[in-house]
Amino acid sequence: MPIGEFATQAGLSTKTIRFYEESGLLPAPPRTSGGYRDYPAQATTRLSFVRDAQAAGLSLAEIRSVLALRDSGQAPCREVGALIEQHLADSERRMSELREARAALRELSRRAAVTDPDTCTDGDICTILTRPAGSHGAE
């Protein structure tokens, strides 16, 4: 199928399809006698996999490595499982960091609500963001 039809069917732009080819995610399709790309039906399966893998948070490099395993005849299940576990651990770490940031922002919001700008001195930049004396701890 021509690239325009393939892109429409996939819900992507032809530019994205070309990018996926250049990135090694889609093999270059055969060409027609006129030199136009002619995508085989199985290209849609591969493209669906790429989109599903991206939706799961895998990077293009990770997807490329999974596809390389599959293309070499190996089942990539272990690799995919390891990638998922790594992404899950990263997600848990980021969620923990976000919870800490939320708690800090809540405290700053509380301080902002009770701060009287008239009590600020010329030496203060912003008492809301400046840690109270004695709370600077090791950084």
Side-chain angles (χ1 to χ4, degrees):
M1 91 183 69
I3 191 168
E5 184 181 331
F6 182 55
T8 299
Q9 190 177 69
L12 299 170
S13 68
T14 57
K15 184 177 179 179
T16 301
I17 301 293
R18 288 186 191 101
F19 173 76
Y20 283 168
E21 279 182 43
E22 293 166 10
S23 299
L25 298 169
L26 285 175
R31 300 278 180 152
T32 64
S33 59
Y36 295 103
R37 290 172 170 87
D38 186 23
Y39 289 89
Q42 64 266 29
T44 54
T45 301
R46 189 173 181 111
L47 186 57
S48 291
F49 171 79
V50 170
R51 294 178 78 187
D52 290 345
Q54 283 182 300
L58 273 63
S59 70
L60 295 182
E62 291 167 334
I63 296 167
R64 194 172 21 261
S65 71
V66 169
L67 290 169
L69 279 173
R70 172 49 74 198
D71 292 345
S72 72
Q74 299 177 49
C77 300
R78 283 192 178 90
E79 167 109 352
V80 169
L83 288 170
I84 289 169
E85 289 301 319
Q86 177 186 350
H87 280 267
L88 183 59
D90 290 345
S91 175
E92 295 291 342
R93 179 189 47 76
R94 285 191 311 269
M95 288 173 60
S96 176
E97 290 169 355
L98 285 170
R99 280 190 293 274
E100 290 174 15
R102 179 181 61 197
L105 288 168
R106 282 183 174 157
E107 173 58 20
L108 290 172
S109 177
R110 184 196 63 73
R111 287 172 49 188
V114 297
T115 297
D116 180 359
D118 294 333
T119 63
C120 293
T121 67
D122 290 341
D124 293 326
I125 295 173
C126 178
T127 59
I128 297 167
L129 293 173
T130 303
R131 294 182 192 172
S135 66
H136 283 278
E139 293 182 35

